[in-house]
Amino acid sequence: MPDVSTQSIDVPVPGGVLELSWAAVTDTGRRREVNQDAVFAAYPLFVVADGMGGHVGGEIASASTIERLRAVADSGHVNPKTIEKALARAVKDIASHPEATDDGTGTTVTGVFLDTSGDAAHWVTLNIGDSRVYLVREGAIAQVTTDHSVVQELVAAGRLSPEEAENHPYGNVITRAVGPSEGVKPDYVRLDVAQGDRFVICSDGLTKELTDYGIRHFLDENADPADAASAMLEAALENGGRDNITIIVLDVGHPAERSADEPVTDED
């Protein structure tokens, strides 16, 4: 099991200061030889990419996408415009490796960032593919993102039930990805900031092995993000670990009772 640690930061937001805590982990799983997932988790951006493609194509796609998004986070200007420019650059990066990529090469990219540019802070989720963002609020878990997959389209059309979709033979076929041939625009969902919220951002290596109820169970049992991520990873491996597994757990703490111009701390 990889080592997992919790990081935290106090973020000045309109009306006060917000405490964020998070942990991230990625693992090859039990049936794959290489890990084609990639992850970036640092305020204000938390994203997972699940690469696909023969040889090292998937690794190139996911790593390029995450590195381009890391640069956006480092710049301090995370918004849909900068994200889409980064993804366009990632597409060019992927296409520059024709010896290792083909038409089946690409990557999902899914995550959340905190937007503090307006009168009130908001979360914004972004999604391309079938990695997911879950939100646990007031004890209930909800999938915020919508999968870009053949199975999800069949469910939306009423041709499959959610139960039938779980074991459908086309379960791995996605309809949108960041790939070498064309750029795509993520779907975005805007969410209010609420104290006590917990996000899980994960590749489908987790959701193949744990139900939504199982994810909520391990969050309920583990208050610390690192403990929760480790417990979910261990359970996913025990349940088969059929794919690479990547998990970010992000907690939204209570806004501190102090003005936004007081010192802010950042600690591991």
Side-chain angles (χ1 to χ4, degrees), residues 210-232:
L210 289 183
T211 63
D212 294 4
Y213 175 82
I215 292 171
R216 194 188 72 180
H217 166 77
F218 288 108
L219 292 173
D220 291 345
E221 292 293 312
N222 296 277
D224 181 75
D227 292 342
S230 295
M232 283 188 277

Side-chain angles (χ1 to χ4, degrees), residues 30-139:
R30 291 189 167 172
R31 299 192 185 180
R32 299 296 177 92
E33 294 182 357
V34 297
N35 191 351
Q36 294 190 326
D37 285 3
V39 60
F40 176 76
Y43 175 78
L45 180 63
F46 306 85
V47 284
V48 166
D50 178 359
M52 65 208 78
H55 304 293
V56 295
E59 289 179 86
I60 290 170
S62 60
S64 298
T65 298
I66 288 298
E67 285 307 309
R68 289 298 186 177
L69 290 172
R70 180 193 301 271
V72 171
D74 290 345
S75 76
H77 300 285
V78 181
N79 55 57
K81 183 177 180 179
T82 58
I83 286 170
E84 288 163 28
K85 284 185 176 179
L87 295 180
R89 294 186 180 106
V91 167
K92 292 181 180 179
D93 294 341
I94 297 165
S96 71
H97 295 273
E99 77 287 354
T101 60
D102 54 36
D103 289 341
T105 297
T107 184
T108 71
V109 60
T110 303
V112 62
F113 66 90
L114 186 65
D115 180 0
T116 59
S117 63
D119 294 336
H122 287 86
W123 292 106
V124 181
T125 68
L126 60 134
N127 181 55
I128 297 171
D130 64 351
S131 297
R132 294 178 177 177
V133 174
Y134 288 93
L135 171 62
V136 177
R137 177 175 288 182
E138 297 180 351

